[in-house]
Amino acid sequence: MIPRYIVDFDLHTLPRMRADVAVIGAGIAGLYTALQTSEYADVVLISKKGLDDSNTRWAQGGIAAVTAQSDSPALHRQDTLIAGAGLCSYNAVEVLVHEGPDRLHELIAYGTEFDRDEQGQYELTQEGAHSKRRILHANGDATGAEIVRALSKRVKEQPNIQVLEYHFAVDVITQDGECVGVLVRNPDGELFFLEAKATVLATGGAGQLYRYTTNPQIATADGIGIAYRAGARIKDVEFIQFHPTALYYPGAPRFLISEAVRGEGAILRNSNGDRFMDKYHPQKELAPRDIVARAIVSEMEQTKSTFVYLDITHESEELIKRRFPTIYNFCLQYGLNMVTDWIPVAPACHYIMGGVQTDLNGETSTKRLFACGEASCTGVHGANRLASNSLSEAVVFGHRIAERIKQLADMPRIYPFQVVSKQKLPQTFNTREQRLKMQKLMLRHVSVKRDDKGLTKALTELARMEQYYQYEPKSLETFEFFNLLIAAVLTTRAALLREESRGGHYRTDFPNKDDLLWRKHLIQSVADGVQEECEKHDVE
């Protein structure tokens, strides 16, 4: 039984802070939304690590927006809808492709320096499933780091933004179906109540659901856990994107080898050295990510190998070093030279298409609670995210959230209450042990390929782990584990119910896409359990 709150507290006696807007998370979604709302409101930005430590910082490929004369919003929309495999919200995609260019220019105005060519024009690249070169990048393959640098600098300069680093958002406080603030844990482990007119969940993704992920340690599904406990609706979480090309090498982390490498001409070879993507899709290496990931897994199974190769050795040394300096230098640390060596790669968890359901203004089903970035499910990505649409989505809907918060009525009166129900965790409980057990279950049974038997086993084992919710977490790692466990249960439950294959969800026992029965969304909430919802404006 998942509790409403995961710690005991007394709102009568807790220390209090006040702000107009509370923003939880310091990636592109949190930083940008904080800057936008600070133009008219006092903002408190909560970061569980340092201000520069976020998933965004590791984003390599770039940001997708229409800037070239040969491109158009209609083409960007078409590519997004095709990649989303029939489950994108047409209206949300329309918002993204039409408002994306203006938000891109705002990022530039905030100080982001994207790469330019010799003529001073922005240098555009192409990635999988894009029909045009429309990806802007920075410092070759360090786009996320450049965006975080620029936005963090601006945030620090804004007098209306107070940054709380190394603070953790435990839960949002709700009253009569409205969010009235955040229960926050400071670096010393003490709790306080941050009262806010509006709260924005910009907590990032859920990559730590899996043992192998391109995400950093902080991607622990905090937004999904917080929102679900608060009664908000969680949508489409069965759709997990496994990036096809994460470095697979002894002693090295699963470092992301950007899709842009394939966009610049790299090809995939199996362990026998044979190129294989022409057997799986007309776009070959530039097919949608879910197709490439499954193709790689199939080749690994056929050749009894644990990896395939990414080969860009036919391209010039100058291009490789200029375009991919971060990847080149990282590989070099492990004795791999992209100029001369094939790079061993394998799929790893990269992105969750689902999340906290929002409307077109970023508002969740819980009033005054908003979600932005990877923590949210706006409907843009459908069953499979188009490469480099994630950064665009964050700024487009961050702007809309800021506009919506302007319109909110004054805060309701807050009635203090207390929660007293928790027990101390048994001494035998080991957070790292339980987290690894969960990650292994997800890797074995809720990964690139799934089936009824494996999903049922995973759900049964995860349900046994829910007994720990009766206890009160004390360490940051245990708080994160509790949030990951909620996301794991919701993801596995939805994957078991969806008896078809679509986008990032592939069932070996139901290998075909079924538009007649399954062109719909699975939405989960505490109050209503699992509901099905058809998308009225789906276009493929």
Side-chain angles (χ1 to χ4, degrees):
M1 178 68 177
I2 296 172
R4 169 61 191 91
Y5 296 102
I6 56 174
V7 294
D8 289 343
F9 62 91
D10 187 345
L11 218 55
H12 292 267
T13 59
L14 273 183
R16 284 198 185 195
M17 285 183 65
R18 286 183 173 81
D20 296 319
V21 182
V23 177
I24 307 170
I28 184 174
L31 293 170
Y32 180 87
T33 306
L35 284 169
Q36 292 278 298
T37 52
S38 71
E39 295 179 6
Y40 61 83
D42 291 323
V43 181
V44 171
L45 177 65
I46 302 168
S47 175
K48 73 174 176 179
K49 296 293 185 180
L51 192 59
D52 298 328
D53 194 351
S54 66
N55 216 351
T56 301
R57 189 166 70 87
W58 299 96
Q60 296 174 353
I63 182 169
V66 173
T67 59
Q69 290 186 348
S70 60
D71 200 2
S72 71
L75 288 173
H76 191 184
R77 178 186 65 211
Q78 175 180 285
D79 294 344
T80 300
L81 293 172
I82 291 172
L87 280 189
C88 295
S89 162
Y90 185 87
N91 290 342
V93 175
E94 278 284 278
V95 166
L96 178 82
V97 301
H98 286 284
E99 298 182 14
D102 287 341
R103 304 291 80 80
L104 175 68
H105 291 305
E106 285 180 349
L107 280 180
I108 295 168
Y110 281 140
T112 306
E113 298 180 5
F114 293 105
D115 294 339
R116 297 176 183 265
D117 60 24
E118 294 177 356
Q119 288 73 45
Q121 301 298 311
Y122 286 115
E123 194 173 61
L124 303 178
T125 191
Q126 187 171 359
E127 295 181 349
H130 284 272
S131 59
K132 295 287 184 179
R133 296 180 78 89
R134 65 168 68 97
I135 315 300
L136 280 81
H137 49 83
N139 300 320
D141 56 357
T143 308
E146 169 58 17
I147 291 173
V148 168
R149 179 204 64 78
L151 295 183
S152 295
K153 182 175 182 293
R154 275 300 183 104
V155 162
K156 292 172 184 176
E157 295 169 348
Q158 295 304 309
N160 285 2
I161 301 177
Q162 180 178 357
V163 179
L164 301 180
E165 294 182 292
Y166 301 98
H167 283 65
F168 184 73
V170 174
D171 269 311
V172 294
I173 303 295
T174 53
Q175 177 179 284
D176 299 327
E178 289 189 276
C179 177
V180 294
V182 189
L183 185 65
V184 184
R185 182 179 184 266
N186 71 16
D188 295 324
E190 298 167 339
L191 298 177
F192 66 90
F193 174 42
L194 172 58
E195 181 182 326
K197 175 181 176 181
T199 299
V200 183
L201 296 171
T203 52
Q208 292 300 321
L209 283 172
Y210 293 86
R211 191 177 180 190
Y212 302 123
T213 177
T214 62
N215 292 184
Q217 287 290 323
I218 58 173
T220 53
D222 298 325
I224 290 175
I226 290 169
Y228 186 75
R229 291 193 296 272
R233 290 150 60 96
I234 310 299
K235 178 178 177 180
D236 287 349
V237 285
E238 67 269 37
F239 297 111
I240 304 283
Q241 188 171 86
F242 293 86
H243 199 288
T245 54
L247 180 63
Y248 186 93
Y249 198 69
R254 290 300 178 95
F255 184 75
L256 175 66
I257 308 295
S258 170
E259 190 153 350
V261 178
R262 282 175 282 133
E264 295 293 348
I267 61 175
L268 288 163
R269 300 182 183 276
N270 62 26
S271 59
N272 297 326
D274 301 323
R275 187 178 184 181
F276 58 84
M277 276 308 301
D278 56 346
K279 297 188 298 184
Y280 295 94
H281 197 275
Q283 289 180 280
K284 301 177 184 177
E285 281 79 10
L286 294 182
R289 286 178 177 174
D290 60 307
I291 293 171
V292 180
R294 287 197 297 274
I296 289 173
V297 170
S298 294
E299 290 295 313
M300 286 160 52
E301 291 171 347
Q302 292 171 30
T303 59
K304 294 180 171 53
S305 176
T306 55
F307 61 88
V308 298
Y309 291 108
L310 187 65
D311 173 16
I312 195 172
T313 58
H314 50 280
E315 298 293 344
S316 72
E317 181 175 356
E318 186 277 331
L319 180 145
I320 293 170
K321 290 183 175 179
R322 175 182 59 83
R323 185 66 183 81
F324 306 111
T326 305
I327 300 172
Y328 174 81
N329 287 312
F330 188 90
C331 289
L332 211 58
Q333 293 179 45
Y334 296 92
L336 296 168
N337 188 333
M338 290 176 68
V339 176
T340 57
D341 298 330
W342 297 353
I343 306 301
V345 295
C349 177
H350 183 61
Y351 193 90
I352 182 167
M353 270 70 74
V356 187
Q357 183 184 24
T358 73
D359 62 17
L360 293 180
N361 295 312
E363 194 162 11
T364 75
S365 55
T366 299
K367 294 178 181 179
R368 299 181 184 271
L369 180 63
F370 297 79
C372 189
E374 192 174 353
S376 70
C377 183
T378 63
V380 162
H381 306 308
N384 188 38
R385 176 174 67 84
L386 182 66
S388 290
N389 267 357
S390 56
L391 299 183
S392 305
E393 180 197 34
V395 292
V396 165
F397 288 90
H399 176 83
R400 284 179 155 249
I401 287 170
E403 292 299 306
R404 171 66 183 121
I405 291 174
K406 279 184 188 178
Q407 304 166 6
L408 289 180
D410 292 337
M411 278 278 291
R413 181 182 174 188
I414 299 174
Y415 299 94
F417 62 94
Q418 63 178 184
V419 175
V420 182
S421 61
K422 300 295 180 182
Q423 305 174 48
K424 289 184 179 180
L425 276 165
Q427 291 185 347
T428 55
F429 179 83
N430 185 307
T431 301
R432 291 182 180 178
E433 181 183 279
Q434 293 301 318
R435 177 163 162 167
L436 182 59
K437 178 181 177 182
M438 178 209 68
Q439 289 174 327
K440 287 182 176 180
L441 281 171
M442 297 298 288
L443 179 65
R444 290 170 183 162
H445 304 302
V446 202
S447 190
V448 176
K449 295 183 177 182
R450 308 162 176 182
D451 61 32
D452 181 276
K453 181 179 178 181
L455 291 167
T456 300
K457 180 177 180 179
L459 196 59
T460 300
E461 291 298 316
L462 291 168
R464 291 195 181 107
M465 299 169 80
E466 288 185 306
Q467 64 176 300
Y468 296 119
Y469 286 126
Q470 66 185 298
Y471 302 109
E472 185 169 46
K474 291 298 182 183
S475 68
L476 174 61
E477 291 75 15
T478 309
F479 280 107
E480 292 177 326
F481 169 69
F482 279 20
N483 287 330
L484 281 168
L485 184 55
I486 288 175
V489 170
L490 298 180
T491 296
T492 306
R493 181 189 297 154
L496 182 60
L497 290 172
R498 183 173 287 276
E499 295 181 336
E500 66 152 358
S501 293
R502 183 188 299 268
H505 169 73
Y506 184 79
R507 291 278 298 262
T508 57
D509 46 352
F510 295 96
N512 299 316
K513 185 168 71 172
D514 186 347
D515 280 341
L516 183 63
L517 295 179
W518 283 106
R519 198 167 185 179
K520 57 191 175 186
H521 306 277
L522 293 175
I523 298 170
Q524 302 177 70
S525 66
V526 171
D528 300 318
V530 183
Q531 294 181 307
E532 298 177 359
E533 181 181 271
C534 293
E535 181 61 64
K536 297 178 182 178
H537 299 284
D538 282 342
V539 175
E540 188 172 5

